[in-house]
Amino acid sequence: MIRVSLVGVAGYTGGELLRLLLRHPEVEVVGVYGEEHAGARVVELHPHLSGVVGEERVKKPDYGKVGSEAELVFLATPNGVAMKVAPRLLREGAKVVDLSADYRFDDVRVYEKYYTKHESPEVKGIYGLPELYRERIRKADLIANPGCYPTAAILALAPLMKGRMVDPGRVVVDAISGTSGAGRGLRENLHHPVCGENVSAYSATRHRHLPEIKQELEKLAGEEVGLCFTPHLAPVVRGILSTSHVFLRERSSKERLLELYREFYSGEPFVRVVEGLPELNYVVGSNYCDIGLEVSEDGRWVVVVSAIDNLLKGGSGQAVQNMNLRFGIEETKGLEALPMRP
C-alpha cells in the first residue's frame, strides 16, 4: 500500500482526487489537508462522499510532518502554493504530484510572464503527460500534472507534430470547457442565470495554457510553432472539447492519418482513436481521451477533435495515472470507470 496525502481537498479537483484515492486498492490515504477549510469535516465539503470518509476533518498542513508521513503528496492547490511547499516535501522524502502550473514550464521566465514570480526555480519537475513521458515519470520525484486544455490539445496534435507533417506557423486550437474547469469559487460569469443559456470566449489571445501547449508542441516538432489558442465556456458541468486546425506539408487522406494516429497511440490505455468526431458524453466520467479527425477535399487542411473529462484525464485522473506509473502499479488501476452517457 502507498501512503498518500492530499493537500487542497476543498476544490472540485481535490474532491475528485479524494474520491479516486478512497477506492484505489493500492492506496492508504494518511492525510487530508487544506489551509482555508482546516477543521471542516470532509463530508461537509464533499457530501457525495458521505459514508465513505466518516468524520474525517481537514487538517492544517505541517509540511515537514506531511512530507515525512506520506510516500506521495498530491498538491491540488492554487497556482503559487506548490513552489513554496514542494521543496520541503521533497526534502522530507516524499514524492510530489503537483496539479498546479508551478512546475510545468521548462523556462521559468515563461511561468513568470503568465503567472507570478517563482520562488523555487531551481526545483525541476517532469511534465506528467504519460503518453509522451512515461519512462521519465517512472523515475520522477516531482511530477507536474498537465493542464486540462493542454492535455486535450497536445494529445490531439502529437502524432502530426512528431511526424513533422504540418506547417508549424499555422496551428489553431479552439476549445470548449465545462464550468467545473473554473473551480469552486463564485464569480458572476459562472452564475447559472448568466452561463446556463450562454457560450462565451475568454482570454482569447493570452490564456495561461497557451504557452504550455506551445512548449510541448515545439518539443514534438523540433521547431517553433505559431499557435493560436482560444478557450470558450459552455453551459455543461464537465468536459473539454478541443478542435485543432492544422495544414499539412503534403496532401494526405483521412484513412492514412487515422492509421498514423492508431500506430502512435497503440497500446495506450486511455487514448481512443475513433472513426467519427468525439463528443463530451463519450468520455465524461472516465480517464479517456477520444480523438477523431476530418480532412478537407484538397487533403491539406486537417481538423482534429479531442474530448476529455477536465476533472479526470484533465486533472485528478491523470494525477492518479502518474502515481501508478511512479510506484510501479498497473497504469489503469483505480481508473477503470467507463464514461457516463447520457
Side-chain angles (χ1 to χ4, degrees), residues 107-128:
D107 187 343
V108 71
R109 293 172 296 181
V110 177
Y111 175 87
E112 292 180 343
K113 179 179 178 181
Y114 285 85
Y115 293 88
T116 187
K117 179 72 174 175
H118 207 294
E119 296 188 24
S120 55
E122 74 285 355
V123 178
K124 302 299 181 182
I126 297 300
Y127 194 69

Side-chain angles (χ1 to χ4, degrees), residues 38-227:
R41 293 166 61 230
V42 173
V43 74
E44 292 173 357
L45 300 171
H46 302 295
H48 61 298
L49 300 179
S50 177
V52 180
V53 294
E55 294 300 310
E56 178 78 21
R57 292 183 179 271
V58 181
K59 294 174 281 190
K60 189 176 181 64
D62 173 340
Y63 288 100
K65 185 178 180 181
V66 173
S68 62
E69 290 184 346
E71 296 171 83
L72 174 69
V73 179
F74 290 99
L75 295 175
T77 49
N79 299 317
V81 174
M83 64 182 178
K84 297 181 175 70
V85 305
R88 176 71 184 277
L89 295 170
L90 293 168
R91 286 196 300 270
E92 295 295 335
K95 311 305 180 190
V96 175
V97 175
D98 173 29
L99 283 82
S100 80
D102 285 9
Y103 295 103
R104 293 175 187 162
F105 292 93
D106 298 333
D107 187 343
V108 71
R109 293 172 296 181
V110 177
Y111 175 87
E112 292 180 343
K113 179 179 178 181
Y114 285 85
Y115 293 88
T116 187
K117 179 72 174 175
H118 207 294
E119 296 188 24
S120 55
E122 74 285 355
V123 178
K124 302 299 181 182
I126 297 300
Y127 194 69
L129 192 59
E131 291 77 11
L132 299 185
Y133 299 110
R134 181 172 284 106
E135 295 310 312
R136 297 181 69 187
I137 291 166
R138 292 186 198 277
K139 303 173 184 177
D141 291 336
L142 171 58
I143 299 167
N145 220 58
C148 49
Y149 282 125
T151 294
I154 295 163
L155 290 177
L157 294 175
L160 296 174
M161 289 294 175
K162 186 72 172 178
R164 302 192 178 186
M165 298 177 66
V166 304
D167 174 359
R170 294 191 295 167
V171 179
V172 178
V173 179
D174 285 318
I176 297 172
S177 174
T179 54
S180 62
R184 192 167 184 164
L186 300 178
R187 300 203 300 271
E188 173 66 17
N189 69 314
L190 300 176
H191 193 42
H192 181 72
V194 175
C195 71
E197 298 291 337
N198 192 22
V199 177
S200 59
Y202 63 99
S203 301
T205 62
R206 203 175 182 275
H207 191 275
R208 289 173 167 182
H209 283 168
L210 188 154
E212 185 181 337
I213 301 169
K214 181 177 170 69
Q215 169 184 278
E216 296 304 314
L217 294 185
E218 289 181 342
K219 286 194 282 189
L220 286 160
E223 58 187 321
E224 185 175 354
V225 171
L227 174 67

